[in-house]
């Protein structure tokens, strides 16, 4: 499966500029019968409320909200 993300540039002239398409490489398919890797949010956050994930030169913030929901933002 291929995922495409539309990204709108920030700034006053953002609407005047065209959208930029980013192509993300699909993950390699798991071996048939192999279980999907699972990681608990507790093991990632280790008691903290926020975690920074570095991916391809960008930083993403994984936050735990007051309502115990997870939000991932760039």
């Amino acid at each position: 499966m291929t995922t495409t993300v539309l990204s709108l540039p920030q700034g006053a002239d953002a609407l005047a500029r065209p959208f930029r398409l980013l192509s993300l490489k699909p993950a390699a398919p798991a071996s048939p019968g192999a279980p999907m890797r699972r990681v608990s949010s507790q093991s990632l956050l280790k008691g903290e409320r926020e975690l920074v994930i570095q991916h391809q030169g960008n930083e993403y913030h994984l936050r735990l909200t007051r309502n115990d929901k997870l939000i991932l933002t760039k």
Side-chain angles (χ1 to χ4, degrees):
M1 178 173 94
T2 301
T3 303
T4 302
V5 177
L6 293 176
S7 175
L8 181 62
Q10 299 296 317
D13 62 338
L15 296 178
R17 290 185 271 168
F19 284 101
R20 180 177 50 165
L21 292 176
L22 301 175
S23 177
L24 303 177
K25 297 176 189 170
S31 301
M36 177 66 68
R37 182 172 174 233
R38 295 186 187 276
V39 179
S40 72
S41 60
Q42 291 87 1
S43 68
L44 286 174
L45 293 169
K46 296 182 180 179
E48 300 292 329
R49 309 260 336 150
E50 185 169 356
L51 163 72
V52 176
I53 301 169
Q54 293 179 336
H55 177 69
Q56 296 181 349
N58 294 305
E59 287 191 350
Y60 297 84
H61 295 258
L62 181 65
R63 283 192 285 263
L64 181 63
T65 69
R66 285 181 262 176
N67 296 326
D68 287 328
K69 306 285 184 184
L70 292 175
I71 297 177
L72 180 65
T73 57
K74 188 168 181 183

